[in-house]
Amino acid sequence: MFHQPKVMDHPLHFAGQLFGVTLVRYFILAGIPFVLFYILFHNRLRGSKIQERTAKNTDFIREIIHSALSSGILSIEAMVVIATPLRSHTLIYKNLSDHPWWWVPVSLVLSLVIHDTYFYWMHRMLHHNSIFRYTHKVHHQSTNPSPWASYSFHLLEAVTEGAIVILLAFILPMHIFTIFLFTITSFIINVYGHLGYEVMPKGLRQSFLFKIINTSVYHNLHHSKFRGNYSLYFRHWDRWMGTENRDYVKEYDRVQEKRFGKQAD
């Protein structure tokens, strides 16, 4: 059964538990694809690789160290809204019966939509010339990202990244389990965005979803070019604000052609 943390639990003790869970989750969800794509099936999956060059072991170590530190920050922020008296002022609810059962998946989808909006504007702010070199530059040291880069943030950026949980707690009724699902779902998508390989099926290109969702190529372009493609899950904010990389579709087609051969427009 999913543990319901009590407000009276010692906050620091609970933060330590959250840190352990967050760190284990990071090493499992980032580590498994890293082993598969970068070690076991590296040669077989070469055609799916977005950038031809390969990152160095020192890059992976740097990403892991920063991600471990970021995990601590994210855990503290989650603890603040889950296991302190502040929780009583949030919209987090304990009993599933407090809302209809269908609200769990609906609130999960809504949380991702809200997060995408939050992330787009936060991300653009971090790219401002007066801020970038003090914070976001750490993440952009990974010009050829790997799954380990998913949480590779400067500590100040980790604070802004984790603040989404605090925001959601005050604007959207969410069961504690839904918050857990949100953190898992968002991290899996984040790992995919930093994978360095494209794994989308051939049919995506001709489907309506291609115009809606981001791909690994989409975020990889942001890391290699440093500009454009600021959104996390969906393409609409970049398209509306004119910040989508104009070469995205061509780059996506190039990678997919390596995998499947020439595709019809």
Side-chain angles (χ1 to χ4, degrees):
M1 182 176 293
F2 191 80
H3 173 63
Q4 296 286 349
K6 299 178 181 180
V7 171
M8 66 282 295
D9 287 343
H10 196 291
L12 290 180
H13 175 67
F14 184 65
Q17 292 179 322
L18 273 179
F19 174 64
V21 171
T22 303
L23 208 56
V24 169
R25 182 188 68 191
Y26 167 76
F27 278 108
I28 292 176
L29 296 182
I32 290 176
F34 180 82
V35 170
L36 293 176
F37 284 85
Y38 288 78
I39 299 176
L40 295 181
F41 304 110
H42 171 69
N43 291 328
R44 185 180 302 181
L45 296 171
R46 189 178 300 275
S48 301
K49 197 168 189 311
I50 298 170
Q51 297 185 38
E52 295 299 328
R53 60 197 178 90
T54 302
K56 300 177 181 179
N57 288 335
T58 52
D59 294 316
F60 303 145
I61 293 172
R62 184 194 70 252
E63 292 169 349
I64 291 172
I65 291 173
H66 282 295
S67 292
L69 294 173
S70 295
S71 294
I73 297 296
L74 299 176
S75 300
I76 291 173
E77 290 183 289
M79 175 272 296
V80 167
V81 294
I82 294 175
T84 71
L86 183 65
R87 175 173 169 175
S88 62
H89 301 286
T90 70
L91 298 179
I92 298 174
Y93 60 97
K94 178 178 180 181
N95 300 312
L96 283 171
S97 58
D98 290 346
H99 289 275
W101 67 266
W102 49 262
W103 180 246
V104 170
V106 169
S107 60
L108 175 61
V109 172
L110 288 175
S111 68
L112 294 174
V113 172
I114 294 170
H115 187 200
D116 190 67
T117 299
Y118 172 87
F119 184 87
Y120 176 84
W121 291 104
M122 176 206 71
H123 197 182
R124 287 197 66 177
M125 177 191 71
L126 290 174
H127 272 268
H128 192 279
N129 291 335
S130 62
I131 298 175
F132 179 84
R133 64 182 180 273
Y134 299 114
T135 55
H136 199 46
K137 183 179 179 180
V138 169
H139 188 64
H140 270 281
Q141 286 179 294
S142 301
T143 55
N144 188 14
S146 78
W148 298 126
S150 303
Y151 274 175
S152 183
F153 309 132
H154 184 280
L155 292 183
L156 290 177
E157 179 176 354
V159 171
T160 62
E161 294 276 356
I164 182 61
V165 174
I166 299 175
L167 176 64
L168 289 172
F170 282 95
I171 66 173
L172 186 69
M174 296 179 73
H175 188 269
I176 188 67
F177 184 64
T178 311
I179 295 176
F180 172 76
L181 290 177
F182 166 75
T183 60
I184 292 292
T185 303
S186 63
F187 186 67
I188 290 174
I189 296 174
N190 199 10
V191 168
Y192 164 62
H194 293 90
L195 184 61
Y197 290 77
E198 188 52 75
V199 297
M200 283 295 180
K202 181 178 181 180
L204 176 72
R205 180 68 170 83
Q206 304 302 326
S207 75
F208 74 96
L209 285 175
F210 182 72
K211 296 183 178 180
I212 298 175
I213 64 173
N214 289 354
T215 63
S216 192
V217 170
Y218 197 90
H219 193 67
N220 195 279
L221 267 175
H222 176 76
H223 274 264
S224 62
K225 304 299 183 183
F226 278 56
R227 295 291 180 183
N229 294 10
Y230 295 107
S231 59
L232 186 59
Y233 308 126
F234 312 112
R235 293 175 62 183
H236 60 269
W237 276 112
D238 277 303
R239 299 178 79 177
W240 291 343
M241 303 308 297
T243 54
E244 184 171 274
N245 189 299
R246 65 181 63 185
D247 294 325
Y248 164 58
V249 175
K250 182 173 65 176
E251 179 67 6
Y252 179 85
D253 287 344
R254 179 191 69 80
V255 175
Q256 293 295 66
E257 186 175 342
K258 285 198 305 176
R259 298 177 66 202
F260 303 114
K262 184 68 174 178
Q263 299 186 65
D265 293 331

